[in-house]
Amino acid sequence: MKKVSGMQSVDSTEAVAVMHMPNHFRDLGSHQDGDALDGLFSYPKRILVLDGIQDPGNLGTLIRSACAFKWDGVFLLPACCDPFNEKAIRAARGASLQLPIVSGTWHDLHALVTKYRMKMMAGHPESSSDASKETYSLSNELADSLLNESLCLVLGSEGNGLSAETLQACELVNIPMEGTFESLNVSVAGGIFLFMLQPKGQIDRTSTP
């Protein structure tokens, strides 16, 4: 029972259910044309793209945050862990069963960006920014300037950072920090980005409890 369920203890477990893969999950595999994207998203305004996120806890937490701030879906680039890994599902708290999730290649992502005319931005630590590219600081002003644009936000792994493809394709944006640390855990940084760049009509970023 432990092996089948993936649980550490099965003393109080009387049954294990088998669940079909959600309809809003799609592995694009080797599709080579834009037709594979049909029906995945309905005019998306905000897509979270994960670039090589291998820690299931971080991946699940990011999916949960994307769902909480009403982003339209999550796109997983190669080298990401399985979003239906038990730890990822636990961290997502059910969000992975509500939010459209797509697994595909950079070719597929470019087709998505072209189809919906989306702007591409990537979170990048200020201390490691590519000197050859301008890096924007996350702010209310920047977020307001993007309200009427369709946006893909790319986040990379803590170990390897952003891939070369992401660095080439995206505008870079960092979270300004006055403290001594150079970077944040990707799920923490992602939560800040997802909140600040959430779709038009959501929570007022300037409000206080």
Side-chain angles (χ1 to χ4, degrees):
M1 181 69 81
K2 284 185 179 181
K3 187 174 182 180
V4 172
S5 66
M7 300 174 66
Q8 294 298 316
S9 174
V10 294
D11 293 341
S12 60
T13 302
E14 297 181 358
V16 175
V18 176
M19 185 182 72
H20 291 290
M21 193 67 73
N23 292 331
H24 52 253
F25 172 76
R26 188 175 300 179
D27 185 348
L28 297 182
S30 59
H31 289 291
Q32 296 297 314
D33 54 60
D35 293 341
L37 296 166
D38 291 346
L40 290 177
F41 305 109
S42 178
Y43 301 103
K45 297 295 291 183
R46 294 290 186 271
I47 297 294
L48 173 63
V49 180
L50 301 182
D51 183 6
I53 303 293
Q54 297 178 338
D55 182 278
N58 284 337
L59 187 138
T61 300
L62 287 165
I63 292 174
R64 179 182 180 183
S65 296
C67 189
F69 296 122
K70 292 194 174 181
W71 282 54
D72 298 301
V74 177
F75 193 105
L76 306 179
L77 287 168
C80 283
C81 68
D82 183 355
F84 299 104
N85 169 293
E86 60 176 300
K87 292 182 179 178
I89 288 180
R90 192 178 301 122
R93 290 292 191 270
S96 51
L97 305 179
Q98 303 177 47
L99 197 66
I101 300 174
V102 177
S103 176
T105 65
W106 261 101
H107 177 91
D108 300 317
L109 180 58
H110 280 304
L112 175 69
V113 169
T114 301
K115 183 180 180 71
Y116 295 108
R117 300 180 181 179
M118 305 188 80
K119 185 182 186 70
M120 296 190 69
M121 302 193 80
H124 198 44
E126 185 176 15
S127 60
S128 59
S129 293
D130 186 340
S132 66
K133 298 188 71 170
E134 180 180 3
T135 302
Y136 300 94
S137 289
L138 184 64
S139 64
N140 285 330
E141 291 73 21
L142 176 64
D144 289 342
S145 72
L146 298 170
L147 282 178
N148 294 316
E149 295 201 48
S150 296
L151 176 68
C152 276
L153 172 68
V154 186
L155 299 176
S157 69
E158 292 180 67
N160 298 320
L162 298 170
S163 65
E165 292 92 337
T166 296
L167 290 172
Q168 181 178 5
C170 299
E171 295 181 18
L172 304 181
V173 58
N174 65 66
I175 298 172
M177 296 186 294
E178 298 295 332
T180 57
F181 285 94
E182 296 180 349
S183 64
L184 298 171
N185 171 280
V186 66
S187 63
V188 174
I192 296 171
F193 280 118
L194 291 166
F195 170 71
M196 290 292 292
L197 300 175
Q198 62 188 299
K200 186 176 182 179
Q202 301 304 314
I203 300 173
D204 182 356
R205 294 183 301 273
T206 63
S207 64
T208 55

